[in-house]
């Protein structure tokens, strides 16, 4: 699950040490070569402790987007502690498998929490970043990743480095109980979410061994009742190591100065062994495997085909297969099902993870229409691709759409960071990552038919969601008294970080004739325009001087 915003910030006096520059820097080296085909001119470095750094300059706004990615997600959760990576993101605590003993332990924890509250400063990280002008402070956990992100003004780069180097080198897990209640609520939401109910059931059959299907990111109910603090500490020590993590930044930065700053604050982080990857071998699906779930609401059919991981040579052809199926306008599902109103609505979407992927086809029936009929209609669209019965022009049209979207992504620091982050999480060479569309452009219709025939050859999972009331298991929340925390308290760390002198950002005023131009396009029509400095895309807005004040019939 992609969790909600976090605001837990454990503070200890030792963190003040971060404000003192390291006596001896560990050093760094650049690990990629300049590539004239790279529109972002990405520079990739590695500190001597193994930490990877992706940097790209974008001077369109005086801000930067910074994310720290960990190659650890729910896939790495122990089978007896599902949801652990998500717990770790929330910084949670341990329980026990004995219900009565569990209640007694929670009572003791409750007493200790009241004592711990005198050291806790609520939401301090949140407050600190807000005072610095943050946007989008967040974190998420998924199958193979945990990612922490924030967007800040460019003059806050050093303060960001101080805060984040402390977050990962000197964490303190304090006051777990309120966070546990938040995770309980997130779990309850997924149990009563119509998409999650069917997706979990289908994935459990699609991946019978792999954690993609056997472990939910949010965690199983029994494990949420009894979180293991021991496993959480072990997971942190094992996975949150420099060689398993990357800092990814895009924005109004100087890459050369930024890598030196990062080295200054992150080089003291000790190198540790990088965890060895695990593997799970899934047997091929044989025919249609079926599962039915209940949810009071619209009925729904979800079909899932297992595909290879995102680094497989066929991954790019399979992305084209998905777009030929459904691209909102001219895909086979769009033309044959939606526009002809053979179903109420239908579509498809791919998911590519490191070990395996999946192609999902879904459909909502018309009133009284059997779900089996929806399933058959979806399968017919797959069969058309297997037979090559689609227009030749659609492949270059899809490639053009991919190119346009890629260019548009370059205008957003968050999107630029996402491209670099995903390359790191996928263990992809950067030159290989940015060459994806060029490789797609070389694919032929025969390549598409071959890939469709190979992976959509009869073995799939069909999930039906019926319009019936489901039973929702409830998680009994432990009794936790309200914790009295002084909201006005500030740590020395908080005060010293905010007291750092920063160079003020001067406003840049827009100048007519320089930053934009105005011409008389026609009589009574004025055209205001500005050149897009990043790519050849344009947006056009037409404004008419006529509204409800002139004519309330509008």
């Amino acid at each position: 699950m992609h969790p909600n915003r976090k605001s837990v910030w454990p503070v200890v006096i030792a963190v003040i040490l971060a404000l003192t520059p390291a006596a001896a820097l560990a050093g760094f080296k650049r690990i990629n070569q300049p590539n004239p085909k790279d529109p972002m001119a990405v520079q990739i470095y590695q500190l001597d402790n193994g930490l990877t750094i992706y940097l790209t300059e974008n001077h369109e706004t005086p801000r930067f987007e910074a994310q720290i990615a960990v190659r650890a997600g729910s896939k790495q959760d122990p089978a007896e502690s599902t949801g652990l990576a998500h717990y770790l993101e929330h910084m949670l605590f341990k329980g026990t498998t004995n219900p009565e003993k569990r209640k007694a332990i929670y009572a003791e924890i409750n007493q200790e929490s009241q004592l711990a509250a005198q050291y806790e400063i609520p939401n301090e990280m949140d407050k600190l970043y807000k005072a610095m002008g943050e946007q989008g402070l967040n974190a998420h956990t998924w199958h193979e990743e945990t990612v922490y992100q924030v967007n800040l003004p460019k003059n806050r780069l050093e303060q960001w480095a101080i805060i984040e180097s402390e977050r990962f080198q000197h964490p303190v897990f304090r006051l777990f109980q309120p966070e546990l209640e938040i995770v309980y609520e997130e779990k309850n939401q997924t149990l009563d979410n119509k998409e999650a109910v069917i997706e979990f059931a289908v994935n459990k059959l699609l991946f019978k061994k792999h954690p993609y299907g056997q472990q939910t990111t949010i965690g199983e109910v029994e494990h949420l009742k009894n979180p293991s603090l021991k496993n959480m500490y072990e997971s942190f020590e094992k996975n949150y190591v420099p060689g398993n993590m990357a800092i990814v930044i895009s924005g109004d930065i100087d890459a050369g100065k930024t890598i030196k700053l990062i080295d200054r604050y992150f080089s003291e982080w000790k190198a540790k062994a990088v965890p060895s990857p695990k593997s799970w071998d899934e047997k091929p699906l044989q025919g249609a495997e079926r599962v039915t779930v209940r949810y009071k609401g619209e009925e729904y059919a979800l079909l899932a085909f297992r595909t290879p991981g995102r680094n497989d040579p066929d991954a790019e052809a399979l992305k084209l297969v998905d777009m030929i199926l459904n691209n909102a306008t001219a895909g086979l599902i769009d033309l044959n099902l939606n526009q002809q109103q053979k179903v109420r609505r239908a579509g498809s979407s791919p998911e590519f993870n490191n070990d395996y992927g999946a192609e999902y086809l879904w459909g909502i029936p018309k009133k009284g229409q059997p779900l089996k009929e929806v399933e058959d209609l979806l399968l017919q669209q797959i069969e058309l691709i297997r037979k090559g019965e689609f227009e030749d022009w659609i492949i270059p049209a899809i490639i053009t759409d991919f190119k346009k979207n890629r260019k548009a992504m370059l205008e957003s620091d968050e999107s630029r960071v996402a491209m670099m982050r995903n390359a790191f999480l996928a263990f992809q060479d950067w030159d290989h990552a940015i060459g994806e569309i060029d490789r797609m452009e070389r694919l032929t219709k025969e390549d598409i038919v071959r890939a469709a025939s190979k992976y959509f050859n009869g073995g799939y999972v069909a999930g039906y969601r019926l319009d019936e009331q489901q039973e929702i298991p409830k998680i009994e929340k432990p009794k936790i008294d309200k914790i009295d925390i002084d909201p006005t308290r500030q740590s020395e760390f908080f005060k010293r970080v905010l007291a750092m002198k920063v160079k003020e950002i001067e406003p840049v005023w827009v100048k007519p004739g320089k930053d934009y131009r105005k011409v008389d396009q026609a009589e009574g029509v004025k055209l205001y325009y500005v050149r897009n400095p990043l790519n050849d895309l344009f947006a056009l807005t037409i404004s008419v001087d006529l509204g409800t004040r002139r004519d309330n019939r509008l």
Side-chain angles (χ1 to χ4, degrees):
M1 297 299 101
H2 292 266
N4 295 330
R5 183 170 174 154
K6 308 299 173 298
S7 56
V8 177
W9 179 231
V11 179
V12 290
I13 298 300
V15 297
I16 300 172
L17 296 174
L19 296 171
T20 304
L25 303 185
F28 58 87
K29 61 182 178 182
R30 183 166 177 177
I31 59 174
N32 76 320
Q33 296 298 319
N35 183 345
K37 294 184 177 181
D38 181 5
M40 295 196 298
V42 171
Q43 299 180 34
I44 308 175
Y45 297 90
Q46 193 169 67
L47 302 190
D48 287 354
N49 60 14
L51 184 64
T52 304
I53 320 295
Y54 290 73
L55 302 175
T56 176
E57 298 183 14
N58 177 23
H59 304 288
E60 290 306 300
T61 62
R63 302 185 66 88
F64 67 93
E65 171 82 15
Q67 297 187 12
I68 298 181
V70 190
R71 284 172 173 157
S74 56
K75 187 178 83 173
Q76 283 79 18
D77 286 344
E80 74 279 6
S81 295
T82 60
L84 187 65
H86 184 228
Y87 264 123
L88 184 51
E89 182 202 321
H90 278 257
M91 298 180 180
L92 295 182
F93 68 99
K94 178 184 177 181
T96 176
T97 56
N98 186 300
E100 293 305 317
K101 187 176 180 182
R102 173 174 174 262
K103 291 181 180 179
I105 289 176
Y106 273 127
E108 184 177 348
I109 289 174
N110 187 40
Q111 293 178 0
E112 294 298 324
S113 295
Q114 301 300 324
L115 296 175
Q118 62 184 301
Y119 303 104
E120 178 67 9
I121 301 176
N123 306 330
E124 182 156 59
M125 186 178 192
D126 195 55
K127 292 177 181 177
L128 187 53
Y129 272 137
K130 280 188 181 304
M132 291 161 54
E134 66 85 10
Q135 294 176 1
L137 177 63
N138 211 338
H140 76 258
T141 304
W142 195 230
H143 293 307
E144 279 138 344
E145 67 198 66
T146 304
V147 178
Y148 304 82
Q149 69 183 86
V150 68
N151 187 291
L152 290 166
K154 68 176 184 179
N155 60 352
R156 301 293 186 172
L157 184 61
E158 184 171 7
Q159 289 163 301
W160 166 86
I162 291 170
I163 295 169
E164 295 300 332
S165 62
E166 279 303 316
R167 188 216 288 254
F168 295 107
Q169 293 183 72
H170 307 289
V172 176
F173 303 148
R174 184 181 287 143
L175 293 183
F176 304 113
Q177 296 90 323
E179 291 296 335
L180 180 61
E181 291 192 2
I182 291 172
V183 174
Y184 279 5
E185 187 57 36
E186 289 182 5
K187 181 62 178 181
N188 285 332
Q189 289 174 6
T190 65
L191 293 173
D192 195 24
N193 179 283
K194 62 182 181 181
E195 281 83 16
V197 167
I198 183 70
E199 289 169 7
F200 290 163
V202 166
N203 285 335
K204 204 169 187 67
L205 281 181
L206 189 64
F207 300 107
K208 297 178 176 61
K209 296 181 179 179
H210 201 287
Y212 294 159
Q214 298 306 305
Q215 300 182 181
T216 62
T217 299
I218 197 74
E220 300 304 317
V221 170
E222 288 304 312
H223 300 159
L224 292 175
K225 289 180 180 179
N226 304 289
S228 170
L229 182 60
K230 174 178 177 291
N231 285 353
M232 187 183 72
Y233 272 111
E234 290 178 353
S235 176
F236 179 83
E237 292 297 325
K238 178 181 179 181
N239 294 306
Y240 281 63
V241 299
N244 205 39
M245 299 174 65
I247 293 173
V248 191
I249 300 177
S250 174
D252 195 4
I253 62 170
D254 179 302
K257 293 179 180 179
T258 300
I259 184 58
K260 292 177 182 177
L261 182 71
I262 290 172
D263 180 47
R264 178 183 179 188
Y265 288 104
F266 287 85
S267 62
E268 285 190 331
W269 199 355
K270 302 301 181 184
K272 293 183 180 180
V274 176
S276 300
K278 294 182 179 180
S279 62
W280 297 264
D281 293 325
E282 294 283 355
K283 294 181 180 179
L285 297 169
Q286 301 296 329
E289 300 187 24
R290 302 186 177 280
V291 61
T292 299
V293 298
R294 291 164 175 78
Y295 189 93
K296 198 64 180 174
E298 64 184 8
E299 296 198 333
Y300 186 84
L302 179 65
L303 312 185
F305 292 83
R306 192 190 303 145
T307 58
R310 54 185 166 186
N311 289 321
D312 190 273
D314 288 332
E316 286 144 9
L318 289 168
K319 290 181 182 180
L320 292 180
V321 169
D322 176 75
M323 290 293 286
I324 293 171
L325 280 171
N326 176 216
N327 54 50
T329 305
L332 296 175
I333 291 175
D334 307 307
L335 297 173
N336 299 337
L337 303 188
N338 291 332
Q339 293 181 26
Q340 295 186 34
Q341 299 182 1
K342 290 187 176 179
V343 294
R344 180 179 166 194
R345 192 154 45 92
S348 70
S349 63
E351 180 172 323
F352 290 99
N353 297 306
N354 284 358
D355 301 334
Y356 291 100
E359 178 68 26
Y360 298 99
L361 290 81
W362 57 270
I364 301 171
K366 296 183 292 185
K367 185 175 181 180
Q369 185 178 27
L371 286 172
K372 182 62 168 66
E373 182 178 323
V374 176
E375 176 185 345
D376 291 340
L377 287 169
L378 291 169
L379 291 175
Q380 288 171 18
Q381 312 316 305
I382 285 281
E383 190 60 24
L384 290 175
I385 298 181
R386 284 165 49 89
K387 294 179 178 179
E389 296 180 7
F390 55 92
E391 298 291 344
D392 292 342
W393 57 263
I394 197 168
I395 296 177
I398 290 169
I399 299 299
T400 299
D401 192 51
F402 279 146
K403 287 181 178 179
K404 183 202 72 174
N405 291 337
R406 176 66 59 87
K407 288 179 179 181
M409 289 175 67
L410 298 179
E411 299 176 1
S412 160
D413 282 322
E414 186 172 356
S415 296
R416 292 160 70 101
V417 165
M419 291 172 61
M420 297 183 287
R421 180 195 75 211
N422 290 339
F424 171 77
L425 294 170
F427 298 85
Q428 288 179 351
D429 175 80
W430 180 243
D431 288 342
H432 176 83
I434 62 175
E436 179 186 47
I437 294 179
D438 289 341
R439 293 191 299 275
M440 283 185 176
E441 203 164 16
R442 294 193 290 268
L443 293 173
T444 65
K445 188 172 185 177
E446 289 71 24
D447 294 322
I448 307 303
V449 171
R450 179 194 58 77
S453 298
K454 180 177 180 180
Y455 297 104
F456 308 137
N457 57 3
Y460 66 97
V461 176
Y464 290 176
R465 190 180 68 213
L466 305 181
D467 180 16
E468 299 175 7
Q469 184 61 50
Q470 83 278 31
E471 293 184 10
I472 303 176
K474 292 293 184 182
I475 308 175
E476 180 188 356
K477 294 183 179 181
K479 186 182 186 307
I480 302 296
D481 293 336
K482 181 180 179 181
I483 297 174
D484 186 18
I485 300 176
D486 182 2
T488 65
R489 186 187 301 142
Q490 292 182 348
S491 70
E492 290 302 315
F493 179 73
F494 181 98
K495 296 174 184 176
R496 292 188 62 178
V497 170
L498 278 188
M500 290 178 64
K501 291 184 178 180
V502 296
K503 184 179 180 180
E504 293 298 325
I505 299 175
E506 296 295 331
V508 178
W509 305 107
V510 176
K511 297 179 180 179
K514 178 183 177 182
D515 297 302
Y516 72 92
R517 298 186 183 278
K518 180 176 70 174
V519 297
D520 292 321
Q521 188 70 14
E523 184 177 353
V525 178
K526 297 186 182 298
L527 172 65
Y528 296 80
Y529 70 93
V530 62
R531 178 180 172 274
N532 184 338
L534 293 175
N535 54 54
D536 58 356
L537 300 181
F538 75 92
L540 175 66
T541 301
I542 298 175
S543 299
V544 180
D545 189 18
L546 177 66
T548 55
R549 286 189 178 183
R550 295 270 191 93
D551 189 339
N552 61 15
R553 291 176 300 177
L554 294 172

